[in-house]
Amino acid sequence: VGGGAGNLVFAAGGTTERLRIQSGGGISFNGDTAAANALNDYEEGTFTPVFYGSTSGTANNDGLGYYTKIGRLVTIHVDIYNKAFGTFSGDLRMTLPFTNAGTSIPSSAGDVYFYPSGNWDGVSNFAGIGVRCYNTAYLNLNLIQLDSDRQTYIGSSNTSLSNSSGNFLRFSFTYVTNL
């Protein structure tokens, strides 16, 4: 254990630095001294995902969401269990617990579980639900349709889900925030 310039440094084998607690905040590893590379935030918590239509209406605001934020990377897990969705129009959207850094930074979703399929698949050639982040404040939950050659993605609004009950939705999504 040593330090310099207000840092606390942990070394192994004498002088090989393994961990640094930086005086300006954050933890860096293996001799890295750059403040921009320091891990400076870790947080876990819950949030209430609010679902609404891109044109109008609030679909649901009593689901449960969990998040883990490590540095700028946020992973959310959303669980909607046997809920009614109100009347809405347009694509189904959901609020995020932290603002997305922007659409040029990749984000990803895992598997999306949904039930009953009759509430979710009100389009022809239904192939599933795509979770996309086109904006800094919300997610879009788009239906995925396939064209006649069964290869092309075509987005669609979900009118079957509007004013429906007994809905189940479970998914995870990872994105980058500026915070």
Side-chain angles (χ1 to χ4, degrees):
V1 178
N7 297 312
L8 181 59
V9 177
F10 295 86
T15 59
T16 305
E17 182 179 324
R18 298 292 180 208
L19 178 90
R20 173 184 298 253
I21 301 174
Q22 296 188 5
S23 62
I27 300 170
S28 56
F29 302 93
N30 300 319
D32 188 347
T33 60
N37 295 338
L39 176 61
N40 60 4
D41 188 24
Y42 179 87
E43 183 178 339
E44 293 181 0
T46 60
F47 71 103
T48 301
V50 176
F51 291 88
Y52 60 97
S54 60
T55 306
S56 67
T58 299
N60 179 292
N61 60 359
D62 63 352
L64 184 58
Y66 303 91
Y67 69 86
T68 302
K69 182 176 179 284
I70 302 172
R72 293 178 53 214
L73 190 66
V74 180
T75 298
I76 62 172
H77 305 282
V78 176
D79 192 12
I80 303 298
Y81 181 79
N82 199 22
K83 299 292 183 180
F85 278 7
T87 302
F88 68 94
S89 61
D91 289 331
L92 183 62
R93 292 181 176 174
M94 186 198 84
T95 57
L96 297 168
F98 299 95
T99 302
N100 182 17
T103 57
S104 63
I105 299 173
S107 52
S108 65
D111 292 335
V112 178
Y113 167 79
F114 55 92
Y115 179 83
S117 61
N119 287 359
W120 295 90
D121 67 355
V123 296
S124 61
N125 299 325
F126 177 69
I129 298 174
V131 181
R132 309 266 191 277
C133 198
Y134 296 120
N135 186 282
T136 58
Y138 58 82
L139 290 179
N140 265 26
L141 284 86
N142 298 106
L143 299 183
I144 299 173
Q145 293 175 284
L146 300 176
D147 67 5
S148 59
D149 65 6
R150 309 279 303 158
Q151 295 179 13
T152 306
Y153 167 83
I154 305 170
S156 175
S157 296
N158 188 338
T159 55
S160 298
L161 188 59
S162 179
N163 200 31
S164 63
S165 61
N167 295 300
F168 295 80
L169 174 66
R170 183 177 299 138
F171 67 92
S172 297
F173 188 78
T174 300
Y175 66 100
V176 176
T177 182
N178 285 332
L179 305 175

